[in-house]
């Protein structure tokens, strides 16, 4: 494998930060069966051979600009930490632990594994630095890992790695004088605004970070899918409305009636493939309207979603952000030290299209990823569906949401789902 290098894009630099503060994503899964340690190591090696950036270190040039630089997989291996499995809850504790363990990108990849090893069952945690990998890429790597754990000879192909912005923005867009000029001007205006905005450098005391996790049964999950289809809105919009209402009911005047929703850039940019190791976040923000009828409110929210998605231009956003590198520190400080303005980030990864039975083990479950970092409000709810069950991970810090309030929000989300499905069925 020839060595490759590329500058971190603006979003990647923001997520990487100073390289000392962890910004980690954890993807847990549970299997029934026995896995040999050497087979896991071989599987991870083959995954690194496919995805060059999983061998990357980060180095700074003379201008203090960070670069991804690939290494040989044999000399820059994915580390595996093995923990004896004592209970069903061990993976939650270990997930919380992994959030707070920094990656040293000079010595090891920005990817590692924690193996909670038992006689009959094991949980594995795939841990990525978020600057390297988003949820879609992480789940693609998980799919490849399971295939290789089952059969080391299986072919998983080779990723054509993204080596510059030229690989992910069409040439005609990059070379358009009008588009370049417009995005450069917008970038300079944003840079100026970030220089002007005063930010008091006193970070919120996060206190204890915690994870709440729950699943819906098959019947309720199925009812939600049928219900949303019959009403003409997406499951994502329905869940967003439920989350907004739950925060409002539990936190009352402390709530913001605002959630941010990541949008997978791959849905708008065909140049970025599902298995590309990449992390670039598009985002839309939603607020609930004042309709008396909740379902009427969801339908209005769907119109807002459709309108905002139609306006998203991934190429323009990427070009504009690349013009903002001079304001990176100011932008990061605004996120880190600015006042909280939304209730949470909510992300629905949808149905996970994985087999559950393999030749040598059974995939019992995939838990929704969790992610936490240093840039402002840590409150995040992620959901996904596997084996016909909707799964939720609720990450927060007590400095932003009290644990007892988070538990009440969780219970209210479940109740509101049941109440609305029941009312309209």
């Amino acid at each position: 494998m020839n060595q490759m290098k590329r500058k971190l894009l603006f979003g990647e630099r923001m997520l990487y930060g100073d390289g000392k503060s962890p910004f980690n994503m954890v993807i847990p899964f549970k299997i029934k069966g026995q896995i040999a340690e050497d087979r896991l190591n071989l599987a991870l090696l083959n995954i690194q051979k496919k995805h060059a950036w999983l061998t990357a270190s980060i180095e700074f040039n003379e201008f203090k600009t960070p670069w991804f630089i690939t290494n040989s997989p044999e000399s820059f291996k994915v580390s595996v930490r093995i923990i004896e499995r004592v209970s069903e809850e061990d993976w939650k504790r270990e997930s919380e632990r992994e959030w707070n363990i920094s990656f040293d990108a000079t010595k090891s990849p920005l990817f590692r594994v924690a193996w909670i090893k038992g006689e009959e069952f094991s949980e594995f945690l795939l841990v990525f630095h978020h600057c390297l990998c988003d949820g879609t890429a992480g789940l693609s790597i998980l799919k490849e890992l399971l295939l290789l754990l089952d059969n080391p000879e299986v072919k998983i192909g080779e990723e054509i790695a993204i080596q510059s912005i030229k690989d992910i923005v069409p040439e005609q867009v990059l070379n358009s004088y009008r588009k370049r000029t417009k995005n450069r001007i917008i970038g300079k205006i944003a840079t100026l605004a970030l220089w002007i905005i005063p930010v008091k450098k006193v970070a919120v005391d996060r206190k204890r970070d915690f994870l709440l996790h729950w699943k819906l049964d098959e019947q309720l999950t199925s009812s939600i899918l049928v219900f949303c289809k019959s009403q003409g809105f997406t499951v994502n919009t329905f869940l967003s409305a439920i989350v907004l209402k739950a925060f409002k009911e539990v936190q009352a005047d402390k709530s913001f009636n605002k959630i941010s929703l990541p949008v997978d850039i791959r849905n708008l940019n065909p140049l970025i493939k599902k298995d590309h190791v990449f992390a670039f976040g598009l985002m839309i923000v939603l607020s609930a309207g004042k309709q008396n009828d909740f379902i009427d409110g969801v339908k209005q929210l769907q119109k807002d979603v459709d309108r905002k998605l139609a306006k998203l231009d991934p190429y323009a956003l990427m070009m504009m952000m690349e013009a903002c590198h001079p304001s990176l520190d100011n932008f990061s400080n605004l996120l880190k030290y600015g006042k909280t303005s939304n209730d949470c980030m909510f992300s629905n990864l949808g149905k996970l299209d994985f087999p559950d039975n393999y030749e040598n083990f059974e995939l019992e479950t995939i838990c929704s990823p969790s992610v936490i970092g240093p840039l402002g409000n840590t409150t995040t709810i992620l959901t996904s569906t596997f084996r016909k069950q909707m799964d939720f991970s609720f990450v927060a810090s007590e400095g932003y949401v009290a644990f007892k309030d988070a538990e009440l929000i969780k219970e209210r989300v479940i109740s509101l789902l049941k109440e609305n499905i029941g009312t309209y069925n």
Side-chain angles (χ1 to χ4, degrees):
M1 183 187 294
N2 294 326
Q3 187 179 65
M4 297 189 300
K5 58 186 294 187
R6 73 166 174 86
K7 292 180 184 178
L8 274 66
L9 301 175
F10 179 89
E12 295 166 338
R13 285 186 66 187
M14 185 182 68
L15 293 171
Y16 184 65
D18 59 8
K20 299 174 183 176
S21 302
F23 201 142
N24 297 347
M25 177 180 68
V26 180
I27 303 179
F29 66 98
K30 177 182 178 182
I31 67 162
K32 180 181 181 181
Q34 293 293 315
I35 298 292
E37 191 173 339
D38 59 352
R39 181 169 285 199
L40 173 61
N41 289 325
L42 178 60
L44 293 170
L45 181 66
N46 285 328
I47 286 171
Q48 283 184 291
K49 287 179 178 178
K50 171 178 177 175
H51 302 283
W53 297 124
L54 292 183
T55 71
S57 55
I58 291 182
E59 297 181 17
F60 290 80
N61 65 10
E62 65 272 25
F63 304 109
K64 297 184 179 180
T65 303
W67 289 67
F68 287 126
I69 299 180
T70 61
N71 300 272
S72 87
E74 289 80 8
S75 65
F76 220 64
K77 294 181 179 179
V78 175
S79 69
V80 178
R81 181 171 65 92
I82 300 177
I83 308 100
E84 182 185 0
R85 188 177 194 270
V86 178
S87 77
E88 294 279 343
E89 301 296 305
D90 291 343
W91 72 270
K92 295 180 187 177
R93 182 190 68 250
E94 294 300 328
S95 292
E96 293 178 358
R97 180 179 177 186
E98 288 291 347
W99 295 339
N100 294 303
I101 302 175
S102 298
F103 285 93
D104 184 345
T106 64
K107 297 180 179 177
S108 61
L110 296 166
F111 169 40
R112 61 176 179 255
V113 174
W115 180 1
I116 303 152
K117 189 175 183 181
E119 289 295 324
E120 185 178 7
F121 296 98
S122 286
E123 284 88 7
F124 293 83
L125 309 178
L126 306 188
V127 187
F128 302 89
H129 195 298
H130 202 18
C131 77
L132 180 77
C133 201
D134 63 5
T136 299
L139 288 167
S140 178
I141 290 165
L142 169 55
K143 181 172 284 190
E144 293 163 359
L145 176 62
L146 290 164
L147 290 172
L148 288 164
L149 288 176
D150 195 44
N151 177 8
E153 302 301 320
V154 73
K155 302 301 180 185
I156 59 172
E158 185 175 349
E159 177 192 349
I160 301 174
I162 295 168
Q163 298 193 51
S164 77
I165 196 169
K166 294 179 181 179
D167 292 335
I168 50 180
V169 176
E171 186 178 359
Q172 63 270 28
V173 176
L174 276 176
N175 294 336
S176 166
Y177 177 79
R178 184 178 66 84
K179 290 182 183 294
R180 287 203 323 268
T181 304
K182 177 183 176 182
N183 291 316
R184 193 180 298 123
I185 291 171
I186 294 172
K188 287 183 177 180
I189 292 171
T191 298
L192 178 62
L194 288 165
W195 275 105
I196 293 171
I197 296 171
V199 178
K200 293 181 180 179
K201 290 192 176 183
V202 180
V204 172
D205 181 4
R206 270 168 50 173
K207 302 177 184 176
R208 180 175 71 100
D209 302 325
F210 60 86
L211 169 66
L212 298 177
H213 173 261
W214 69 96
K215 288 182 180 289
L216 306 182
D217 61 32
E218 287 187 31
Q219 183 176 353
L220 180 55
T221 300
S222 175
S223 296
I224 290 170
L225 300 177
V226 172
F227 172 70
C228 291
K229 187 174 182 179
S230 71
Q231 294 294 322
F233 42 68
T234 66
V235 172
N236 194 51
T237 301
F238 180 53
L239 292 174
S240 298
I242 292 286
V243 169
L244 281 164
K245 188 172 176 62
F247 270 90
K248 180 65 177 175
E249 290 186 2
V250 172
Q251 296 206 294
D253 292 341
K254 291 181 181 179
S255 68
F256 297 93
N257 186 31
K258 190 182 290 183
I259 58 173
S260 54
L261 276 73
V263 177
D264 189 348
I265 193 171
R266 295 163 181 80
N267 296 331
L268 301 172
N269 184 346
L271 296 174
I272 305 174
K273 309 303 181 185
K274 292 288 184 186
D275 65 349
H276 266 137
V277 172
F278 190 66
F280 182 89
L282 297 176
M283 199 80 70
I284 62 173
V285 176
L286 295 182
S287 297
K290 296 183 178 180
Q291 291 83 1
N292 291 326
D293 183 80
F294 178 72
I295 299 304
D296 286 345
V298 181
K299 291 177 179 177
Q300 182 57 52
L301 204 62
Q302 184 65 59
K303 292 178 181 178
D304 293 344
V305 171
D306 294 342
R307 176 174 51 83
K308 289 179 178 180
L309 288 177
K311 286 184 176 181
L312 281 180
D313 183 338
Y315 307 129
L317 283 167
M318 295 186 80
M319 292 171 69
M320 182 191 72
M321 289 178 75
E322 287 309 289
C324 291
H325 279 274
S327 64
L328 177 71
D329 289 342
N330 300 71
F331 189 67
S332 297
N333 287 338
L334 182 65
L335 293 175
K336 188 173 182 178
Y337 301 112
K339 289 184 178 179
T340 299
S341 61
N342 69 335
D343 293 306
C344 74
M345 186 191 79
F346 172 71
S347 179
N348 176 20
L349 294 165
K351 182 183 177 184
L352 304 184
D353 186 21
F354 285 64
D356 50 11
N357 282 299
Y358 295 78
E359 288 292 326
N360 295 297
F361 56 84
E362 182 179 353
L363 179 58
E364 285 278 307
T365 192
I366 303 170
C367 298
S368 295
S370 62
V371 62
I372 196 164
L375 299 178
N377 190 352
T378 58
T379 313
T380 306
I381 299 177
L382 292 99
T383 185
S384 58
T385 301
F386 178 67
R387 295 184 85 163
K388 301 180 181 178
Q389 288 187 278
M390 202 171 282
D391 178 281
F392 292 81
S393 291
F394 186 165
V395 176
S397 306
E398 292 209 83
Y400 291 101
V401 179
F403 183 75
K404 61 179 180 59
D405 281 355
E407 287 189 309
L408 290 172
I409 291 167
K410 165 194 165 182
E411 294 304 324
R412 198 66 193 112
V413 165
I414 297 168
S415 298
L416 285 166
L417 287 169
K418 292 178 178 177
E419 288 168 14
N420 283 282
I421 298 298
T423 300
Y424 284 82
N425 273 353

